[in-house]
């Protein structure tokens, strides 16, 4: 009897959050859904973060994923953009952690490599490969949703591998894995 598992993939963003869901039955993956949360029309950054959290919780409560794969922010030259992306990722992760769904993050390069065999592939190349692999009839206009789906497929391909990325199974695991950061005094001269 094959165990079924659902993987939610998320491409966090403050303009568009893309997501995709796959079902794994045995060693086969099946496409479930891909979509996006449009955030362009909102000016308030905090409202966008609230909407990302709420939509992620809604996806979890609707589809009951067993695991979440999330794309880590890439390192760019614009610090403000990095900060906003990091916040979007953190809020999506917090939503997963609040429902105790294990989370694994993957770098964009790792996701592209898993899908196309090329860590420098374009969004279009990733989308075309997913279309072929999962027999998608058509691709969406914006490719943020295929980026979310790519994170889920990358996670499927990396199952059972030891060093697949940073994983968290809940708040307690997150704190335990990061306790060295938490326990360090801010000023070594003053702290004991």
């Amino acid at each position: 009897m094959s165990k079924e598992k659902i993987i939610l993939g998320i491409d966090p963003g403050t303009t568009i959050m893309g997501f995709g869901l796959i079902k794994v039955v045995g060693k086969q993956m099946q496409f479930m859904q891909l979509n996006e949360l449009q955030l362009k029309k909102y000016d308030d950054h905090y409202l966008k973060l609230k909407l990302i959290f709420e939509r992620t919780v809604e996806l979890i409560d609707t589809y009951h994923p067993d695991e979440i794969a999330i794309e880590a922010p890439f390192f760019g030259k614009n610090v403000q953009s990095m900060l906003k992306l990091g916040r979007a990722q953190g809020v999506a992760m917090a939503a997963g952690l609040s429902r105790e769904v294990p989370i694994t993050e993957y770098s964009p390069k790792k996701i592209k490599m898993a899908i196309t065999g090329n860590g420098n592939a374009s969004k279009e190349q990733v989308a075309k490969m997913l279309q072929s692999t999962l027999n998608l009839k058509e691709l969406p206009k914006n490719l943020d949703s295929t980026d979310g789906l790519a994170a889920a497929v990358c996670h499927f391909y990396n199952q059972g591998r030891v060093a697949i990325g940073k994983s968290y199974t809940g708040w307690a695991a997150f704190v335990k894995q990061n306790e060295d950061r938490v326990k360090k005094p801010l000023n070594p001269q003053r702290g004991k």
Side-chain angles (χ1 to χ4, degrees), residues 28-31 34 127-139 149:
Q28 299 293 318
M29 66 176 155
Q30 302 167 4
F31 170 74
L34 76 157
K128 284 288 187 192
M129 187 60 84
L130 288 170
Q131 184 176 28
S132 171
T133 305
L134 296 169
N135 299 316
L136 304 177
K137 290 184 178 25
E138 58 185 68
L139 291 173
L149 183 62

Side-chain angles (χ1 to χ4, degrees), residues 77-165:
K77 292 179 181 173
N78 185 331
V79 177
Q80 286 301 314
S81 293
M82 279 288 302
L83 181 61
K84 286 179 181 177
L85 275 176
R87 286 176 176 169
Q89 182 201 30
V91 165
M93 290 173 75
L97 292 169
S98 75
R99 293 295 195 256
E100 297 186 5
V101 181
I103 300 167
T104 304
E105 34 175 342
Y106 294 94
S107 71
K109 213 173 202 41
K110 176 118 180 163
I111 294 171
K112 292 174 183 179
M113 181 64 105
I115 305 303
T116 68
N118 175 3
N120 295 315
S122 68
K123 278 180 173 276
E124 292 76 17
Q125 289 171 314
V126 170
K128 284 288 187 192
M129 187 60 84
L130 288 170
Q131 184 176 28
S132 171
T133 305
L134 296 169
N135 299 316
L136 304 177
K137 290 184 178 25
E138 58 185 68
L139 291 173
K141 188 176 110 183
N142 295 320
L143 298 181
D144 297 274
S145 54
T146 53
D147 286 350
L149 183 62
V153 173
C154 173
H155 189 64
F156 168 77
Y157 287 151
N158 282 282
Q159 289 178 351
R161 298 215 178 134
V162 177
I164 56 175

